[in-house]
Amino acid sequence: MEDFWAGAFWALKIWLYLIISLIMVPAMFGFSLGISETYMTILVKTLEWATLKIQRAHADEQTLKASSSNGLIQREDGSMEKELEELRRSRPKPPVGGDFTLSDCFYFSRRGIESIVEDEVTQRFTSEELVSWNLLTRTNNYFHYISLRLTLVYGLGIFVRYCILAPLRIKSWLSEWVHVICYRICARGLSAAIRYHNRENKPKKGGICVANHTSPIDIVILCNDGGYAMVGQVHGGLMGVIQRAMVRSCPHIWFERAEMRDRHLVTKRLTDHVNDKTKLPILIFPEGTCVNNTSVMMFKKGSFEIGATIYPVAIKYDPKFGDAFWNSSKYSMVNYLLRMMTSWALVCNVWYLPAMHQQEGEDAVQFANRVKSAIAHQGGLIDLQWDGGLKRAKVKETFKEQEQKKYSSMVVGDDSSSNSDG
C-alpha cells in the first residue's frame, strides 16, 4: 500500500511539473510551445486512421456511403400505389381496379412498424449519426467491435479526454473563483483587515467600477470581494510578468503606451467589453496615478464617455498601521511590496456607492466630477480639481495663460481706477 501511495504521489508530482513548465510558464511570458498545433495534428491523423480501419473492416457495407439515410431502416423510395401494385402481383389472381385485398394490410403494417422504430421526424432531434467513428462514442449503430488495436485507441481517448482535457477546461470555468481565492491569499499575507460597506451596491457585469487610487494593492482590496477586469498600461519588469499571466485567464484590457494616446481605440475596447454582459465589470482608477490617501484628484473623462453604468467605490486606508501610498517616483514595485509586507497591518474601509448614470445635458467631464465628489464625500477625502499627472508633467500652458490673464486684468483694473482718482 505504501508503494502505491508513493507511486501516486510521484505521478502527481510529475503531472504538476508538466503543467507548470508546459502551460503556466509559457502563459506568463506570452510565448507558445506549439503544443496545441501538435495536438490538433495528432488528433486529425488518429481520426483518419480510425476511419480507414473501419472502412477496411466493413468494405461491403452500404452504410459507409456519405448519405443522410444512415439509419436502422433501409426504406424504399417508391410511392404507395407502386408498392401496393407490386404486392398484389404476387397473388395468383390480381384484383381488378380498386378492389381491396388482404395483402394490402402487409404494406400498412410494415410502414407503421418502420415509423415506430425510426420515424423521419423524431430522428431530426437526436444527434446526427456519423458515417465514420470520431473516437468519442459509438456514433454509428453498425460499428461495435472492429479490432483490439482500435479498442485500445478508444480507451486511450477516454483517458485523454477525462483525465487531461477536462481538468484543463474546468480551469476556465473556475477562473473567477480562483482569482478571488488568490487575491484573498494575498490580502491575508499582508495582514489586511478590510471592512466592506453597502455590499448591495457591488459592481455588476456590464458596468464600470471607478475608485480612488492610493496603491497597487487597491486591486487586491477590491478583488478580495469579487472579480474584476483590469484596465491599464503595459508595464515591464515584475508588473509585466504579472499582467501577462493575468490576461491569459481573464479578459483584462492592457494598452501599450502609444495606444493610450489613441482615445478612439481606448473607447472602442472599453465599449466592446461593457456591451458583453457576460464579462466581469471593468475596474478603473480614473486619477491615473496613486494619491497619498488624503485627497481625490481629477478624474480622466475617458471611462465616462461610453455611456456605461458607473459603480463608484471609495477606499480609505488607516495610516496608523502602515502607509499604503505608493510613491512610484521614490520606490520601485519590489521595494514598495517589501515595505508593505514588513508593515504592521493593512487596515482599510471600502464603501460601495449606488450606481450612477450620466444625466441628460451632462457632459463627460461634469459626470466625472460628480462621481469624484461622491467618492470624496463618502471616504472623507479632499476633493481636488488638479490633474494627478502634474507630479510628472509640467503645467499646461493654457493654465499659465489663464492665471496671467487674471493677474493682468487685476493690474489693468488698478491702473484705471488710480488714473480716474487723479
Side-chain angles (χ1 to χ4, degrees), residues 114-360:
E114 287 179 353
S115 297
I116 293 173
V117 174
E118 187 181 69
D119 68 283
E120 295 182 348
V121 176
T122 304
Q123 64 177 329
R124 304 308 170 197
F125 300 96
T126 58
S127 297
E128 179 187 5
E129 288 294 333
L130 302 180
V131 174
S132 61
W133 185 26
N134 61 4
L135 297 179
L136 287 176
T137 181
R138 302 287 183 172
T139 50
N140 193 297
N141 293 292
Y142 289 97
F143 300 151
H144 297 285
Y145 177 81
I146 304 300
S147 67
L148 177 62
R149 185 182 302 177
L150 200 59
T151 302
L152 292 176
V153 172
Y154 175 67
L156 178 61
I158 292 177
F159 173 79
V160 171
R161 290 187 288 115
Y162 284 90
C163 299
I164 298 179
L165 297 181
L168 293 177
R169 289 163 181 168
I170 290 175
K171 179 189 70 173
S172 299
W173 178 66
L174 295 175
S175 176
E176 183 177 346
W177 181 61
V178 170
H179 268 71
V180 173
I181 290 178
C182 291
Y183 284 116
R184 287 176 179 172
I185 292 173
C186 292
R188 283 156 178 73
L190 295 169
S191 300
I194 313 167
R195 293 185 62 189
Y196 297 96
H197 307 272
N198 308 323
R199 273 197 168 101
E200 66 274 10
N201 297 325
K202 282 180 60 175
K204 297 178 175 58
K205 292 182 178 180
I208 297 178
C209 172
V210 298
N212 58 300
H213 198 23
T214 302
S215 159
I217 299 176
D218 294 340
I219 297 174
V220 177
I221 299 300
L222 293 178
C223 292
N224 191 64
D225 196 37
Y228 294 92
M230 311 299 172
V231 176
Q233 182 177 309
V234 175
H235 292 273
L238 177 62
M239 280 294 293
V241 174
I242 296 174
Q243 285 181 320
R244 287 191 292 271
M246 290 172 63
V247 80
R248 293 285 178 171
S249 57
C250 186
H252 301 294
I253 306 174
W254 305 129
F255 294 97
E256 297 290 345
R257 183 180 296 273
E259 293 178 333
M260 292 293 288
R261 301 189 183 96
D262 189 344
R263 301 183 65 86
H264 296 290
L265 175 62
V266 174
T267 301
K268 182 180 183 304
R269 291 186 62 181
L270 293 178
T271 303
D272 292 342
H273 186 102
V274 298
N275 286 339
D276 188 347
K277 302 304 179 183
T278 63
K279 292 185 176 180
L280 296 174
I282 297 175
L283 175 59
I284 295 180
F285 301 103
E287 291 169 294
T289 188
C290 293
V291 183
N292 69 352
N293 196 40
T294 63
S295 311
V296 182
M297 305 195 75
M298 186 183 77
F299 278 7
K300 304 292 191 299
K301 66 177 182 178
S303 55
F304 300 90
E305 292 179 322
I306 62 178
T309 302
I310 300 295
Y311 296 91
V313 176
I315 306 174
K316 177 65 176 178
Y317 293 90
D318 191 337
K320 291 185 296 185
F321 302 95
D323 185 11
F325 169 58
W326 179 35
N327 188 346
S328 56
S329 301
K330 186 177 182 180
Y331 301 107
S332 66
M333 173 60 69
V334 176
N335 195 334
Y336 169 75
L337 291 177
L338 180 62
R339 292 178 68 248
M340 294 308 302
M341 288 188 289
T342 54
S343 63
W344 293 115
L346 192 67
V347 181
C348 73
N349 285 276
V350 176
W351 291 273
Y352 296 112
L353 280 68
M356 301 179 68
H357 301 83
Q358 191 170 0
Q359 298 176 351
E360 186 177 354

Side-chain angles (χ1 to χ4, degrees), residues 1-10:
M1 181 62 69
E2 293 181 358
D3 293 339
F4 170 78
W5 287 113
F9 177 76
W10 179 82

Side-chain angles (χ1 to χ4, degrees), residues 28 35 235 331 373:
M28 288 174 61
I35 296 177
H235 292 273
Y331 301 107
S373 298

